[in-house]
Amino acid sequence: MRRYAVPGVSIAVVDGDRIMWARGFGVTAKNGAAVTEATLFPGSSISKAITATGTLRLVDEARLALDTDVNTYLRSWKVPENEFTATEKVTLRRLLSHGAGTNVHAWKSYALAEAIPTLPQILDGVPPANTEPIRVEAVPGTAFRYSGGGVEIEQMVLEDVTGESFDALMQRLVFAPIGMHDSQFAARLPPALRARAATSHDGDGAPIVDRVHPELAADGLWTTPTDLMQWAIEIAGARAGRSSRVLKQATATAMLTMQQVPLGLGPFLDGTGRGFHFGHQGSDDGYHAEIVYFPATGQGAAIMTNGAGGLLLIRELLFAIAAEYSWPDYAPETVEAFPADAATLDGIVGVYEAPYDGMTVTVTVTRAREGLVVAVPLLGIRSDAVLTSASTIVLLDSGDTLSVVGAATALRFGPLELPRRAR
């Protein structure tokens, strides 16, 4: 926790389809209360998998169909037609698996005292919304395109079809049947719950001023690791035919069947055989969370943190839990260092920048005694790194890969190419 500047962590571990233990570590804020298993954290993008559960329950009730044009259901707002929707339509199956071709990958937050937009304002990108309009920018059904915007369309469908507020609907369809008593979808938590919530912190360990996310279906879940594990146990149980409190067996099976790689209907999927597992990550404004579950063995864990370096800490913790409980998968990868000389390493050292989603992504590469150190402040990353080839850098903490482009004049980080900034 000190290494990654994470003040507080909450963990729940499942073995044999039951919660073995749940415990908090550290504090909710500087000079704040101790983190306990009941401390609330934002689920961030894990919200999407929980939202999908409510949507699929309405499919089971024949109030929705996965492959129907969502404009059939929408009343308060419609998906604007364009050249991409001429032959293929936006459907719930495509929205849940991020294959609908919609835009807006992630969300910008709002200050606690700011006016927050309504859902139609978010969808049309009009003030006080601070993101662009949600539109179809690729032919639906043709490719994976992670889209928080698409999940907000899903929320509009749910509200229009049922006439219920989103949180009330999710309480009825998902939280109450499963027993997720510490879960709520909310932009602003009620004061009583706010007192139980962890405060987020930046990479230097400083508290981040309270921020809110009104995009409830995609980003608005407040919960605990225990509640998240109860959800995972229920979904795995439904798939195995042991429970029907929320989903029918066929629907839970479809939820955990690859639809648009790497997603099922809501959760991310990975592994095969006994090593098959499902889950989701979430990250927002210094908060990070992850849930992993292996249906074949009834094993998994959920971890939630309140520091910018939480993703890296979560990775370390999951590796440790996987080893302790003999998970069938989830071991760290072994890499072999490339024998680079000092001149080669020095040639990569520098600061690289590129615009991304209205911000500037900065990657700083410095020398270490036996290799490199890569820092990505926006993602809370500071990691020892090694060259595994003349043009490939591997971050040892996260496993992320950087590619050296054009004789070290730029780095490629995921989909981004970052030019080198003049020294």
Side-chain angles (χ1 to χ4, degrees):
M1 290 166 68
R2 284 192 296 271
R3 173 184 173 89
Y4 298 119
V6 177
V9 182
S10 185
I11 307 172
V13 173
V14 168
D15 195 59
D17 289 311
R18 63 189 183 94
I19 296 175
M20 299 298 292
W21 58 270
R23 185 179 168 191
F25 302 83
V27 292
T28 59
K30 187 176 181 180
N31 301 320
V35 173
T36 73
E37 65 273 17
T39 299
L40 298 177
F41 289 81
S44 306
S45 285
I46 297 174
S47 306
K48 299 173 174 68
I50 306 301
T51 295
T53 309
T55 298
L56 291 173
R57 184 160 185 199
L58 292 179
V59 170
D60 274 346
E61 294 175 0
R63 300 186 69 180
L64 295 171
L66 286 171
D67 298 310
T68 297
D69 183 349
V70 294
N71 275 342
T72 302
Y73 303 117
L74 289 166
R75 299 289 180 268
S76 305
W77 179 89
K78 297 283 187 180
V79 176
E81 301 286 353
N82 59 25
E83 66 272 26
F84 301 112
T85 62
T87 57
E88 295 293 334
K89 301 300 181 181
V90 174
T91 66
L92 287 170
R93 185 185 303 277
R94 290 166 175 171
L95 289 174
L96 269 60
S97 60
H98 295 268
T102 49
N103 62 342
V104 183
H105 177 96
W107 304 102
K108 302 171 186 177
S109 58
Y110 298 77
L112 194 62
E114 272 187 285
I116 59 174
T118 63
L119 181 52
Q121 287 172 331
I122 292 168
L123 294 171
D124 277 330
V126 299
N130 60 12
T131 48
E132 63 184 316
I134 311 304
R135 298 293 183 262
V136 180
E137 295 185 348
V139 176
T142 58
F144 169 74
R145 181 189 178 104
Y146 190 83
S147 171
V151 179
E152 287 307 290
I153 296 175
E154 180 186 352
Q155 179 182 336
M156 192 81 267
V157 169
L158 298 184
E159 292 185 356
D160 277 352
V161 166
T162 65
E164 298 178 59
S165 70
F166 183 70
D167 180 61
L169 181 64
M170 296 302 292
Q171 291 287 346
R172 179 173 68 81
L173 295 179
V174 181
F175 299 151
I178 294 176
M180 298 171 68
H181 302 303
D182 289 319
S183 296
Q184 181 172 350
F185 279 95
R188 296 186 176 98
L189 281 173
L193 293 180
R194 184 65 214 168
R196 290 175 48 198
T199 298
S200 63
H201 298 75
D202 64 20
D204 296 321
I208 297 175
V209 176
D210 285 340
R211 308 294 294 178
V212 299
H213 287 271
E215 305 86 6
L216 298 185
D219 216 25
L221 175 67
W222 287 86
T223 189
T224 65
T226 296
D227 272 11
L228 289 179
M229 294 317 299
Q230 288 176 322
W231 168 80
I233 292 169
E234 176 64 28
I235 297 303
R239 176 176 178 259
R242 296 191 300 267
S243 177
S244 57
R245 289 186 299 176
V246 175
L247 298 180
K248 296 177 180 179
Q249 184 175 16
T251 306
T253 299
M255 186 184 205
L256 301 184
T257 298
M258 197 72 76
Q259 305 286 327
Q260 187 78 59
V261 178
L263 277 102
L265 293 172
F268 281 83
L269 310 178
D270 201 2
T272 59
R274 285 173 55 82
F276 169 76
H277 53 281
F278 67 92
H280 214 293
Q281 287 185 338
S283 297
D284 270 322
D285 300 316
Y287 293 109
H288 297 282
E290 186 165 355
I291 178 171
V292 178
Y293 202 77
F294 291 82
T297 59
Q299 295 173 302
I303 304 174
M304 309 187 84
T305 69
N306 64 344
L311 276 181
L312 298 178
L313 177 60
I314 288 169
R315 186 76 59 92
E316 300 268 10
L317 291 170
L318 287 175
F319 286 154
I321 294 167
E324 178 67 21
Y325 286 87
S326 301
W327 287 2
D329 196 357
Y330 220 97
E333 180 184 356
T334 301
V335 297
E336 184 174 346
F338 179 75
D341 56 25
T344 299
L345 295 174
D346 287 340
I348 298 171
V349 168
V351 178
Y352 302 82
E353 293 184 343
Y356 173 68
D357 198 23
M359 301 172 285
T360 298
V361 176
T362 301
V363 175
T364 302
V365 183
T366 55
R367 280 291 306 275
R369 184 172 60 182
E370 297 180 359
L372 301 167
V373 174
V374 175
V376 191
L378 185 67
L379 303 179
I381 292 173
R382 181 177 174 81
S383 174
D384 292 329
V386 296
L387 283 176
T388 56
S389 74
S391 60
T392 304
I393 305 169
V394 173
L395 279 61
L396 297 182
D397 280 344
S398 67
D400 289 323
T401 299
L402 295 168
S403 299
V404 180
V405 182
T409 58
L411 295 178
R412 185 169 289 118
F413 182 60
L416 296 176
E417 186 165 306
L418 298 95
R420 190 179 202 156
R421 189 172 72 188
R423 298 182 182 180

